[in-house]
Short mmCIF file of all heavy atoms in Angstrom, two decimals:
data_model
loop_
_atom_site.label_atom_id
_atom_site.label_comp_id
_atom_site.label_asym_id
_atom_site.label_seq_id
_atom_site.Cartn_x
_atom_site.Cartn_y
_atom_site.Cartn_z
N MET A 1 29.64 -6.38 -3.82
CA MET A 1 28.69 -6.24 -4.94
C MET A 1 27.24 -6.30 -4.45
O MET A 1 26.39 -5.56 -4.92
CB MET A 1 28.96 -7.31 -6.00
CG MET A 1 30.32 -7.18 -6.66
SD MET A 1 30.54 -5.62 -7.53
CE MET A 1 29.51 -5.89 -8.92
N ALA A 2 26.97 -7.17 -3.50
CA ALA A 2 25.62 -7.28 -2.95
C ALA A 2 25.24 -5.99 -2.23
O ALA A 2 24.11 -5.49 -2.37
CB ALA A 2 25.53 -8.46 -2.00
N PHE A 3 26.18 -5.41 -1.47
CA PHE A 3 25.91 -4.16 -0.78
C PHE A 3 25.66 -3.03 -1.79
O PHE A 3 24.75 -2.21 -1.60
CB PHE A 3 27.07 -3.79 0.15
CG PHE A 3 26.85 -2.49 0.86
CD1 PHE A 3 25.95 -2.40 1.91
CD2 PHE A 3 27.53 -1.35 0.47
CE1 PHE A 3 25.73 -1.20 2.56
CE2 PHE A 3 27.32 -0.14 1.10
CZ PHE A 3 26.41 -0.06 2.16
N ALA A 4 26.44 -2.97 -2.84
CA ALA A 4 26.26 -1.93 -3.87
C ALA A 4 24.91 -2.08 -4.56
O ALA A 4 24.21 -1.08 -4.80
CB ALA A 4 27.39 -2.01 -4.89
N ALA A 5 24.51 -3.30 -4.84
CA ALA A 5 23.20 -3.54 -5.47
C ALA A 5 22.07 -3.13 -4.53
O ALA A 5 21.09 -2.50 -4.94
CB ALA A 5 23.07 -5.00 -5.86
N TYR A 6 22.21 -3.45 -3.25
CA TYR A 6 21.20 -3.08 -2.26
C TYR A 6 21.11 -1.56 -2.12
O TYR A 6 20.01 -1.00 -2.06
CB TYR A 6 21.52 -3.72 -0.90
CG TYR A 6 20.57 -3.33 0.19
CD1 TYR A 6 19.29 -3.87 0.23
CD2 TYR A 6 20.95 -2.42 1.16
CE1 TYR A 6 18.40 -3.50 1.24
CE2 TYR A 6 20.07 -2.04 2.16
CZ TYR A 6 18.79 -2.59 2.20
OH TYR A 6 17.92 -2.21 3.18
N GLU A 7 22.23 -0.89 -2.10
CA GLU A 7 22.25 0.57 -1.98
C GLU A 7 21.59 1.22 -3.19
O GLU A 7 20.80 2.16 -3.06
CB GLU A 7 23.69 1.04 -1.83
CG GLU A 7 23.82 2.51 -1.52
CD GLU A 7 25.26 2.93 -1.30
OE1 GLU A 7 26.18 2.23 -1.78
OE2 GLU A 7 25.46 3.96 -0.65
N THR A 8 21.88 0.71 -4.38
CA THR A 8 21.25 1.23 -5.60
C THR A 8 19.74 1.00 -5.56
O THR A 8 18.96 1.88 -5.94
CB THR A 8 21.86 0.55 -6.84
OG1 THR A 8 23.26 0.76 -6.83
CG2 THR A 8 21.26 1.10 -8.12
N HIS A 9 19.34 -0.15 -5.10
CA HIS A 9 17.92 -0.47 -4.99
C HIS A 9 17.22 0.51 -4.04
O HIS A 9 16.13 1.01 -4.34
CB HIS A 9 17.74 -1.91 -4.50
CG HIS A 9 16.34 -2.26 -4.11
ND1 HIS A 9 15.34 -2.40 -5.05
CD2 HIS A 9 15.76 -2.46 -2.91
CE1 HIS A 9 14.21 -2.68 -4.42
NE2 HIS A 9 14.44 -2.72 -3.12
N MET A 10 17.83 0.80 -2.90
CA MET A 10 17.22 1.70 -1.93
C MET A 10 17.13 3.13 -2.46
O MET A 10 16.14 3.83 -2.25
CB MET A 10 17.99 1.66 -0.61
CG MET A 10 17.90 0.32 0.11
SD MET A 10 16.20 -0.25 0.38
CE MET A 10 15.68 0.88 1.62
N LYS A 11 18.15 3.58 -3.19
CA LYS A 11 18.12 4.92 -3.78
C LYS A 11 17.01 5.03 -4.82
O LYS A 11 16.28 6.02 -4.87
CB LYS A 11 19.47 5.26 -4.41
CG LYS A 11 20.55 5.59 -3.41
CD LYS A 11 21.86 5.91 -4.11
CE LYS A 11 22.97 6.18 -3.11
NZ LYS A 11 24.25 6.43 -3.79
N THR A 12 16.88 4.02 -5.65
CA THR A 12 15.83 4.00 -6.66
C THR A 12 14.45 3.98 -6.02
O THR A 12 13.54 4.69 -6.46
CB THR A 12 15.99 2.78 -7.58
OG1 THR A 12 17.30 2.79 -8.14
CG2 THR A 12 14.95 2.78 -8.69
N LYS A 13 14.30 3.20 -4.98
CA LYS A 13 13.03 3.13 -4.26
C LYS A 13 12.66 4.48 -3.65
O LYS A 13 11.51 4.90 -3.71
CB LYS A 13 13.13 2.06 -3.17
CG LYS A 13 11.84 1.72 -2.50
CD LYS A 13 12.05 0.57 -1.52
CE LYS A 13 10.78 0.23 -0.79
NZ LYS A 13 10.98 -0.86 0.16
N ALA A 14 13.64 5.19 -3.11
CA ALA A 14 13.40 6.51 -2.52
C ALA A 14 13.00 7.52 -3.60
O ALA A 14 12.09 8.33 -3.40
CB ALA A 14 14.64 6.99 -1.78
N LYS A 15 13.66 7.46 -4.76
CA LYS A 15 13.31 8.36 -5.86
C LYS A 15 11.88 8.10 -6.34
O LYS A 15 11.13 9.03 -6.62
CB LYS A 15 14.29 8.20 -7.02
CG LYS A 15 15.63 8.82 -6.76
CD LYS A 15 16.55 8.61 -7.96
CE LYS A 15 17.93 9.15 -7.69
NZ LYS A 15 18.84 8.92 -8.82
N LEU A 16 11.50 6.84 -6.46
CA LEU A 16 10.15 6.51 -6.90
C LEU A 16 9.11 6.96 -5.89
O LEU A 16 8.05 7.46 -6.26
CB LEU A 16 10.03 5.00 -7.14
CG LEU A 16 10.72 4.46 -8.38
CD1 LEU A 16 10.61 2.94 -8.44
CD2 LEU A 16 10.13 5.07 -9.63
N ALA A 17 9.41 6.81 -4.61
CA ALA A 17 8.47 7.25 -3.58
C ALA A 17 8.30 8.76 -3.64
O ALA A 17 7.18 9.27 -3.49
CB ALA A 17 8.97 6.81 -2.20
N LYS A 18 9.38 9.48 -3.86
CA LYS A 18 9.31 10.93 -3.95
C LYS A 18 8.50 11.36 -5.18
O LYS A 18 7.70 12.29 -5.12
CB LYS A 18 10.73 11.50 -4.01
CG LYS A 18 10.82 12.96 -3.78
CD LYS A 18 12.29 13.38 -3.71
CE LYS A 18 12.43 14.81 -3.26
NZ LYS A 18 13.83 15.21 -3.17
N ALA A 19 8.71 10.68 -6.30
CA ALA A 19 7.99 10.99 -7.53
C ALA A 19 6.50 10.68 -7.37
O ALA A 19 5.65 11.44 -7.83
CB ALA A 19 8.57 10.21 -8.70
N ASN A 20 6.19 9.58 -6.71
CA ASN A 20 4.79 9.22 -6.50
C ASN A 20 4.09 10.20 -5.58
O ASN A 20 2.91 10.46 -5.73
CB ASN A 20 4.68 7.80 -5.95
CG ASN A 20 4.96 6.75 -7.00
OD1 ASN A 20 4.87 7.03 -8.19
ND2 ASN A 20 5.32 5.56 -6.58
N ALA A 21 4.80 10.74 -4.61
CA ALA A 21 4.21 11.72 -3.70
C ALA A 21 3.83 12.97 -4.48
O ALA A 21 2.76 13.53 -4.29
CB ALA A 21 5.18 12.06 -2.58
N GLY A 22 4.69 13.41 -5.37
CA GLY A 22 4.39 14.57 -6.21
C GLY A 22 3.23 14.29 -7.15
O GLY A 22 2.38 15.13 -7.38
N ALA A 23 3.19 13.10 -7.69
CA ALA A 23 2.10 12.72 -8.59
C ALA A 23 0.79 12.63 -7.82
O ALA A 23 -0.27 12.96 -8.34
CB ALA A 23 2.41 11.38 -9.27
N GLY A 24 0.86 12.20 -6.58
CA GLY A 24 -0.35 12.12 -5.75
C GLY A 24 -0.94 13.49 -5.51
O GLY A 24 -2.16 13.67 -5.54
N GLU A 25 -0.10 14.49 -5.27
CA GLU A 25 -0.58 15.85 -5.07
C GLU A 25 -1.21 16.39 -6.35
O GLU A 25 -2.25 17.04 -6.31
CB GLU A 25 0.57 16.74 -4.62
CG GLU A 25 1.09 16.42 -3.23
CD GLU A 25 2.33 17.21 -2.87
OE1 GLU A 25 2.67 18.16 -3.61
OE2 GLU A 25 2.95 16.87 -1.86
N ALA A 26 -0.58 16.13 -7.48
CA ALA A 26 -1.13 16.59 -8.76
C ALA A 26 -2.46 15.89 -9.05
O ALA A 26 -3.41 16.53 -9.53
CB ALA A 26 -0.14 16.32 -9.88
N GLU A 27 -2.52 14.62 -8.73
CA GLU A 27 -3.77 13.87 -8.94
C GLU A 27 -4.88 14.39 -8.04
O GLU A 27 -6.02 14.52 -8.47
CB GLU A 27 -3.53 12.39 -8.68
CG GLU A 27 -4.71 11.51 -9.02
CD GLU A 27 -4.41 10.04 -8.81
OE1 GLU A 27 -3.24 9.66 -8.69
OE2 GLU A 27 -5.38 9.26 -8.77
N ALA A 28 -4.54 14.72 -6.81
CA ALA A 28 -5.54 15.26 -5.88
C ALA A 28 -6.05 16.61 -6.37
O ALA A 28 -7.25 16.89 -6.30
CB ALA A 28 -4.94 15.39 -4.48
N ALA A 29 -5.16 17.44 -6.89
CA ALA A 29 -5.58 18.74 -7.42
C ALA A 29 -6.50 18.55 -8.62
O ALA A 29 -7.51 19.26 -8.76
CB ALA A 29 -4.36 19.57 -7.80
N ALA A 30 -6.17 17.60 -9.48
CA ALA A 30 -7.02 17.32 -10.65
C ALA A 30 -8.39 16.81 -10.21
O ALA A 30 -9.42 17.19 -10.78
CB ALA A 30 -6.34 16.30 -11.56
N MET A 31 -8.40 15.97 -9.18
CA MET A 31 -9.68 15.45 -8.68
C MET A 31 -10.53 16.56 -8.07
O MET A 31 -11.75 16.60 -8.24
CB MET A 31 -9.43 14.33 -7.67
CG MET A 31 -8.86 13.09 -8.30
SD MET A 31 -8.46 11.83 -7.08
CE MET A 31 -10.03 11.01 -6.96
N ARG A 32 -9.88 17.50 -7.34
CA ARG A 32 -10.62 18.63 -6.77
C ARG A 32 -11.21 19.49 -7.88
O ARG A 32 -12.37 19.92 -7.80
CB ARG A 32 -9.71 19.47 -5.88
CG ARG A 32 -9.52 18.88 -4.49
CD ARG A 32 -8.87 19.88 -3.55
NE ARG A 32 -7.45 20.11 -3.86
CZ ARG A 32 -6.46 19.38 -3.42
NH1 ARG A 32 -6.69 18.33 -2.64
NH2 ARG A 32 -5.21 19.66 -3.74
N SER A 33 -10.44 19.71 -8.93
CA SER A 33 -10.92 20.49 -10.06
C SER A 33 -12.11 19.81 -10.73
O SER A 33 -13.11 20.44 -11.06
CB SER A 33 -9.79 20.69 -11.06
OG SER A 33 -10.25 21.31 -12.22
N GLU A 34 -11.99 18.50 -10.91
CA GLU A 34 -13.09 17.75 -11.53
C GLU A 34 -14.33 17.76 -10.65
O GLU A 34 -15.45 17.89 -11.14
CB GLU A 34 -12.64 16.31 -11.80
CG GLU A 34 -13.67 15.48 -12.55
CD GLU A 34 -13.18 14.08 -12.84
OE1 GLU A 34 -12.03 13.74 -12.50
OE2 GLU A 34 -13.97 13.30 -13.41
N LEU A 35 -14.14 17.66 -9.34
CA LEU A 35 -15.27 17.69 -8.42
C LEU A 35 -15.99 19.03 -8.48
O LEU A 35 -17.22 19.08 -8.50
CB LEU A 35 -14.78 17.42 -6.99
CG LEU A 35 -15.85 17.43 -5.90
CD1 LEU A 35 -16.87 16.33 -6.15
CD2 LEU A 35 -15.21 17.26 -4.54
N THR A 36 -15.23 20.12 -8.56
CA THR A 36 -15.84 21.44 -8.68
C THR A 36 -16.65 21.55 -9.97
O THR A 36 -17.77 22.05 -9.96
CB THR A 36 -14.75 22.53 -8.65
OG1 THR A 36 -14.02 22.40 -7.43
CG2 THR A 36 -15.34 23.91 -8.74
N ALA A 37 -16.08 21.05 -11.07
CA ALA A 37 -16.78 21.08 -12.35
C ALA A 37 -18.07 20.25 -12.29
O ALA A 37 -19.12 20.67 -12.79
CB ALA A 37 -15.88 20.58 -13.47
N LEU A 38 -18.01 19.10 -11.65
CA LEU A 38 -19.19 18.25 -11.54
C LEU A 38 -20.27 18.90 -10.67
O LEU A 38 -21.46 18.81 -10.98
CB LEU A 38 -18.81 16.88 -10.98
CG LEU A 38 -18.02 15.98 -11.94
CD1 LEU A 38 -17.55 14.73 -11.22
CD2 LEU A 38 -18.87 15.61 -13.14
N LYS A 39 -19.86 19.56 -9.59
CA LYS A 39 -20.84 20.27 -8.75
C LYS A 39 -21.53 21.37 -9.54
O LYS A 39 -22.74 21.56 -9.42
CB LYS A 39 -20.15 20.85 -7.52
CG LYS A 39 -19.82 19.82 -6.47
CD LYS A 39 -19.17 20.48 -5.26
CE LYS A 39 -18.85 19.46 -4.18
NZ LYS A 39 -18.23 20.09 -3.00
N ASP A 40 -20.77 22.09 -10.37
CA ASP A 40 -21.37 23.13 -11.20
C ASP A 40 -22.37 22.53 -12.18
O ASP A 40 -23.46 23.09 -12.40
CB ASP A 40 -20.28 23.90 -11.96
CG ASP A 40 -19.43 24.76 -11.05
OD1 ASP A 40 -19.89 25.06 -9.92
OD2 ASP A 40 -18.31 25.13 -11.46
N ARG A 41 -22.02 21.39 -12.75
CA ARG A 41 -22.95 20.74 -13.69
C ARG A 41 -24.22 20.29 -12.99
O ARG A 41 -25.33 20.41 -13.54
CB ARG A 41 -22.26 19.54 -14.35
CG ARG A 41 -21.17 19.95 -15.31
CD ARG A 41 -20.51 18.77 -15.94
NE ARG A 41 -21.43 18.14 -16.89
CZ ARG A 41 -21.17 17.03 -17.55
NH1 ARG A 41 -20.01 16.43 -17.37
NH2 ARG A 41 -22.04 16.53 -18.39
N VAL A 42 -24.08 19.79 -11.77
CA VAL A 42 -25.27 19.35 -11.02
C VAL A 42 -26.16 20.55 -10.72
O VAL A 42 -27.39 20.46 -10.84
CB VAL A 42 -24.85 18.62 -9.72
CG1 VAL A 42 -26.03 18.44 -8.80
CG2 VAL A 42 -24.23 17.28 -10.06
N ARG A 43 -25.55 21.68 -10.37
CA ARG A 43 -26.36 22.89 -10.12
C ARG A 43 -27.15 23.29 -11.35
O ARG A 43 -28.33 23.63 -11.27
CB ARG A 43 -25.45 24.05 -9.70
CG ARG A 43 -25.09 24.02 -8.25
CD ARG A 43 -24.40 25.34 -7.84
NE ARG A 43 -23.53 25.04 -6.73
CZ ARG A 43 -22.21 24.96 -6.77
NH1 ARG A 43 -21.57 25.20 -7.89
NH2 ARG A 43 -21.51 24.65 -5.71
N VAL A 44 -26.49 23.25 -12.51
CA VAL A 44 -27.17 23.60 -13.76
C VAL A 44 -28.31 22.62 -14.04
O VAL A 44 -29.43 23.01 -14.40
CB VAL A 44 -26.17 23.63 -14.93
CG1 VAL A 44 -26.89 23.74 -16.26
CG2 VAL A 44 -25.20 24.77 -14.75
N LEU A 45 -28.05 21.33 -13.85
CA LEU A 45 -29.10 20.33 -14.09
C LEU A 45 -30.27 20.50 -13.13
O LEU A 45 -31.44 20.36 -13.53
CB LEU A 45 -28.51 18.92 -13.98
CG LEU A 45 -27.56 18.52 -15.12
CD1 LEU A 45 -26.91 17.19 -14.79
CD2 LEU A 45 -28.29 18.47 -16.43
N GLU A 46 -29.99 20.80 -11.88
CA GLU A 46 -31.06 21.02 -10.91
C GLU A 46 -31.90 22.23 -11.32
O GLU A 46 -33.13 22.21 -11.21
CB GLU A 46 -30.49 21.24 -9.51
CG GLU A 46 -29.97 19.98 -8.87
CD GLU A 46 -29.29 20.24 -7.53
OE1 GLU A 46 -28.99 21.40 -7.22
OE2 GLU A 46 -29.07 19.25 -6.81
N LYS A 47 -31.24 23.26 -11.81
CA LYS A 47 -31.96 24.45 -12.25
C LYS A 47 -32.86 24.12 -13.44
O LYS A 47 -34.02 24.54 -13.50
CB LYS A 47 -30.97 25.55 -12.62
CG LYS A 47 -31.61 26.86 -12.95
CD LYS A 47 -30.56 27.92 -13.17
CE LYS A 47 -31.22 29.25 -13.48
NZ LYS A 47 -30.23 30.30 -13.70
N ILE A 48 -32.35 23.34 -14.38
CA ILE A 48 -33.15 22.96 -15.55
C ILE A 48 -34.36 22.14 -15.13
O ILE A 48 -35.49 22.38 -15.58
CB ILE A 48 -32.29 22.18 -16.56
CG1 ILE A 48 -31.26 23.12 -17.19
CG2 ILE A 48 -33.15 21.52 -17.63
CD1 ILE A 48 -30.23 22.40 -18.04
#
């Protein structure tokens, strides 16, 4: 029973790590998009 619980724990941990890696990529893409938008706003403000 202890081995089965440990194996389940390790599988769950691996799934969470995989999900977090995908979320990290999505978050990085969102941050890049936001950075581009902010740079555009700064250009407009500098022009004004």
Side-chain angles (χ1 to χ4, degrees):
M1 296 299 286
F3 178 75
Y6 177 74
E7 187 177 22
T8 303
H9 170 71
M10 294 306 289
K11 285 180 182 178
T12 304
K13 190 175 178 181
K15 285 180 184 178
L16 287 176
K18 194 174 189 179
N20 286 339
E25 292 173 11
E27 186 177 345
M31 291 176 87
R32 280 193 289 275
S33 174
E34 185 178 358
L35 180 62
T36 302
L38 289 173
K39 285 181 179 180
D40 290 341
R41 290 180 71 184
V42 167
R43 278 190 208 105
V44 170
L45 290 172
E46 287 175 346
K47 186 175 181 180
I48 291 171

